[in-house]
């Protein structure tokens, strides 16, 4: 792997399970966590199948999410009405 001549610093939020896996992998292989992340990112960008699969999945989920949102928007509106009425009753009691 080529060493980058310029480095940029940024933060990424990962859950505890991924953090533990990263720590364990780095310790087992004997590399820094930064190096392990760099390897993973390079693998991701170098494998067009991974990127294509992710893009396809996001497109499919986008359509599904739109359908779900449309199907449940009436429920959300109803819940909002009930919540507004509940808040008004609470204010009247105070």
């Amino acid at each position: 792997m080529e060493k980058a001549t310029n480095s940029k610093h940024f933060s990424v939020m990962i859950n505890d399970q991924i953090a533990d896996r990263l720590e364990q992998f780095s310790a087992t292989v004997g590399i820094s966590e930064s190096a392990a992340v760099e390897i993973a990112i390079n693998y991701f960008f170098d494998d067009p199948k991974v990127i294509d699969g992710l893009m396809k999945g996001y497109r499919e989920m986008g359509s599904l999410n739109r359908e779900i949102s449309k199907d449940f928007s009436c429920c959300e509106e109803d819940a909002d009405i009930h919540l507004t009425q509940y808040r008004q009753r609470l204010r009247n009691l105070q």
Side-chain angles (χ1 to χ4, degrees):
M1 179 182 330
E2 293 181 28
K3 239 352 186 180
T5 55
N6 295 322
S7 296
K8 291 185 179 181
H9 179 81
F10 63 95
S11 297
V12 176
M13 297 289 292
I14 57 176
N15 64 36
D16 290 340
Q17 182 182 8
I18 299 296
D20 292 342
R21 289 180 68 193
L22 175 60
E23 183 180 0
Q24 184 179 18
F25 175 82
S26 298
T28 301
V29 177
I31 60 175
S32 70
E33 291 179 5
S34 293
V37 169
E38 186 176 340
I39 290 167
I41 290 171
N42 281 323
Y43 174 77
F44 170 80
F45 286 127
D46 290 342
D47 190 344
K49 290 179 186 175
V50 171
I51 294 170
D52 186 54
L54 287 171
M55 289 172 58
K56 181 180 176 187
Y58 280 118
R59 284 191 294 270
E60 289 172 1
M61 289 306 298
S63 298
L64 180 60
N65 287 338
R66 275 192 295 280
E67 288 178 35
I68 291 170
S69 295
K70 183 180 175 185
D71 290 344
F72 286 93
S73 63
C74 61
C75 296
E76 187 174 337
E77 291 168 4
D78 188 51
D80 192 40
I81 290 168
H82 287 287
L83 184 58
T84 300
Q85 291 171 346
Y86 174 75
R87 287 178 178 156
Q88 287 174 345
R89 281 191 300 253
L90 282 179
R91 279 188 229 130
N92 290 338
L93 293 174
Q94 294 174 351

